[in-house]
Structures are given as structure tokens and as C-alpha cells.
Amino acid sequence: MINAKNIIDLENYIVKDLKSDEDIKLYLNTSLKEYLDDGDFNSFYHSLEIVIKAKSTIAGFAQKIGMSRSHLYSIFKAEKEPKFSTVIKIFHELGYELEVA
């Protein structure tokens, strides 16, 4: 049975494993492809949360993109649906671009 502690442990493992930009790009590309296949936007947005934690803090990152920490968390918890412009803003601040291949 999967419990919250196991999920948190897995998330912490992934955060620590994303050490290089190449690791992060591969993780985000995989997550984006999975989203395109299964339509699970919450899972994709959770991957953005993990990448932000690997590079910064949620509070610091939210400040950089001009958003409150609580608003960003509400998106990660699927309490609010983000605008596409928010996703682009997050990618841009992380140093990545979305492109059609």
C-alpha cells in the first residue's frame, strides 16, 4: 500500500536526483510526453513543482515570477487550474522553452 510518507520520500529522491540541466530537461520532456499521452495535467504540473524544488524554493520561485507562494501551491495541489501563460512563465524562469518538434 502506498502512503503519504512513501510519496514524499519518492519526491525527495527525485528532487535530489535532478542535479544537472540535462537531467531536468529529460525529466520535463518525459513528463510533458506523458501528459500528451494521458492528459493528466496534474501529474505534469507536479513535475514542474519537483523541478522548482530541485532548483530553488517554492517561495523564492513564486516571488521571481510575480506570484504568491500560496497561489503556486494551489496550482500544484490542483485547487486552481493555471493559465497557459503561467506554464510558459514557469518554463521561462526555469530557463527552458516549450517547442514543437
Side-chain angles (χ1 to χ4, degrees), residues 78-95:
E79 296 170 353
K80 293 185 180 180
E81 191 169 318
K83 294 179 182 178
F84 186 68
S85 61
T86 302
V87 175
I88 297 299
K89 190 183 289 188
I90 289 171
F91 266 84
H92 180 72
E93 185 59 39
L94 287 170

Side-chain angles (χ1 to χ4, degrees), residues 4-43:
K5 183 184 179 325
N6 290 344
I7 292 170
I8 292 169
D9 288 346
L10 177 60
E11 182 178 307
N12 288 336
Y13 175 80
I14 295 169
V15 166
K16 289 177 185 174
D17 197 46
L18 295 175
K19 295 178 182 156
S20 72
D21 278 339
E22 285 303 312
D23 293 338
I24 292 170
K25 285 181 195 178
L26 179 61
Y27 180 72
L28 286 175
N29 279 323
T30 300
S31 179
L32 185 57
K33 286 177 185 175
E34 287 175 358
Y35 164 66
L36 294 173
D37 288 342
D38 64 19
D40 186 356
F41 189 75
N42 293 333
S43 178

Side-chain angles (χ1 to χ4, degrees), residues 32-92:
L32 185 57
K33 286 177 185 175
E34 287 175 358
Y35 164 66
L36 294 173
D37 288 342
D38 64 19
D40 186 356
F41 189 75
N42 293 333
S43 178
F44 170 69
Y45 220 70
H46 185 71
S47 70
L48 290 177
E49 178 184 11
I50 288 172
V51 169
I52 290 168
K53 287 179 179 178
K55 292 188 120 196
S56 182
T57 64
I58 298 296
F61 190 84
Q63 186 176 25
K64 287 179 185 177
I65 64 170
M67 183 179 290
S68 73
R69 178 183 140 302
S70 61
H71 183 76
L72 196 53
Y73 269 121
S74 68
I75 292 170
F76 294 149
K77 293 178 183 178
E79 296 170 353
K80 293 185 180 180
E81 191 169 318
K83 294 179 182 178
F84 186 68
S85 61
T86 302
V87 175
I88 297 299
K89 190 183 289 188
I90 289 171
F91 266 84
H92 180 72

